[in-house]
Amino acid sequence: MNAVARERPLRRPSAGTGDRPKASVKPRRGRPPRLSRDRIIDAVFSLLAQDSAESLTIGRIARAVDASPAALYRHFESLDDLLDAVLARALSNVDATLDCEGEWADRLDAWMRGLRAELLRVPAAIALIGRSGRTSPAWLEASSFLVGLLAEAGLSGRRLAMLYLWILETTTGFVLQEAILPVSEQLENARASAGELSEPARGRFATIRPELDRIDGDEFFSFVVEQAISAVVLHAKHSTRR
């Protein structure tokens, strides 16, 4: 059979049959889904999931939704506005801890674990926290809850500011490192390199190696949370003595 089939002429119907030839209908090209804020944000999440080295630009995002760059500006004022909305979506589940009942320590525990879980879900979103000489308002909104928790614990002034930054940097730094190389892989790689160490260094590590072999990312982060809570308690005591 030829690759391109020849068209056959339509035959006239026999007299008296009442049948009419059916007109050929050309298939319509499907319309692209209607552009919306949610669809654009979803597209950016897909781009972030690709972990591409290519930077996020209005042009690249517009191509992902099969639209013109001008169409995106009908939904967002700027690229910063768009990426702020993406980060706000990524952090939206962390806000659930705002309604969590219990002592400040329990809520701090829930907030830190929630932040880790959401950032690990979309690690590339960490890059949206600060860019082009600005900090995303979405990040400041989410982290403001931490300020309130520390104030509730009894911190104020410089101690509150320092603990706020320390907990935030510790949590995000942990997640960033974990996204690049999980704790279990870090420890496994360290074990593989143990043979290249000097004898004194191997002897030092031998004292903790059995325990290191039992540590995973969740357990290690639980330790981070415990240390954060202990630090808040310690500094809160100093604050009340003044």
Side-chain angles (χ1 to χ4, degrees):
M1 180 180 291
N2 294 334
V4 179
R6 295 180 179 178
E7 294 184 0
R8 296 182 179 179
L10 292 174
R11 294 182 179 179
R12 290 182 176 274
S14 303
T17 60
D19 293 333
R20 293 182 180 179
K22 294 182 179 180
S24 60
V25 179
K26 293 182 180 179
R28 290 186 176 182
R29 185 180 179 182
R31 292 183 178 180
R34 184 177 180 181
L35 197 60
S36 65
R37 283 179 63 92
D38 285 340
R39 183 172 166 239
I40 296 170
I41 292 173
D42 288 342
V44 176
F45 269 108
S46 296
L47 293 175
L48 291 174
Q50 295 173 12
D51 196 24
S52 172
E54 186 179 355
S55 61
L56 288 172
T57 63
I58 286 291
R60 184 184 176 203
I61 298 169
R63 290 193 298 273
V65 294
D66 193 21
S68 66
L72 269 61
Y73 285 114
R74 287 197 287 270
H75 297 274
F76 298 95
E77 294 181 359
S78 63
L79 179 60
D80 284 336
D81 184 32
L82 168 53
L83 298 183
D84 287 343
V86 172
L87 184 59
R89 167 89 72 83
L91 298 174
S92 59
N93 290 334
V94 182
D95 292 341
T97 56
L98 290 169
D99 299 325
C100 177
E101 296 181 358
E103 299 293 328
W104 67 264
D106 294 330
R107 286 184 285 147
L108 176 57
D109 184 303
W111 188 84
M112 290 179 68
R113 293 180 192 277
L115 181 61
R116 175 189 177 227
E118 292 306 309
L119 292 180
L120 277 181
R121 187 170 61 86
V122 192
I126 297 176
L128 305 183
I129 293 174
R131 54 184 300 278
S132 302
R134 70 189 289 274
T135 300
S136 171
W139 176 247
L140 296 176
E141 284 284 346
S143 66
S144 68
F145 179 59
L146 177 58
V147 177
L149 274 179
L150 297 179
E152 184 179 333
L155 293 174
S156 61
R158 186 171 182 81
R159 289 182 185 273
L160 190 156
M162 293 289 281
L163 263 295
Y164 160 78
L165 286 176
W166 181 75
I167 292 174
L168 210 57
E169 292 295 323
T170 300
T171 305
T172 54
F174 183 94
V175 172
L176 186 58
Q177 177 61 46
E178 197 174 15
I180 297 172
L181 193 65
V183 172
S184 58
E185 291 186 27
Q186 294 178 41
L187 296 175
E188 184 178 348
N189 292 348
R191 285 192 294 272
S193 300
E196 302 177 30
L197 298 177
S198 66
E199 186 173 343
R202 286 200 302 271
R204 298 181 194 110
F205 278 113
T207 61
I208 62 172
R209 182 167 180 175
E211 294 302 325
L212 287 176
D213 289 342
R214 298 167 51 190
I215 296 174
D216 61 19
D218 290 339
E219 183 181 5
F220 188 29
F221 190 73
S222 292
F223 178 78
V224 172
V225 173
E226 290 173 6
Q227 296 310 302
I229 293 173
S230 296
V232 174
V233 172
L234 176 64
H235 285 275
K237 289 181 179 178
H238 285 288
S239 296
T240 55
R241 290 174 184 172
R242 297 181 62 182

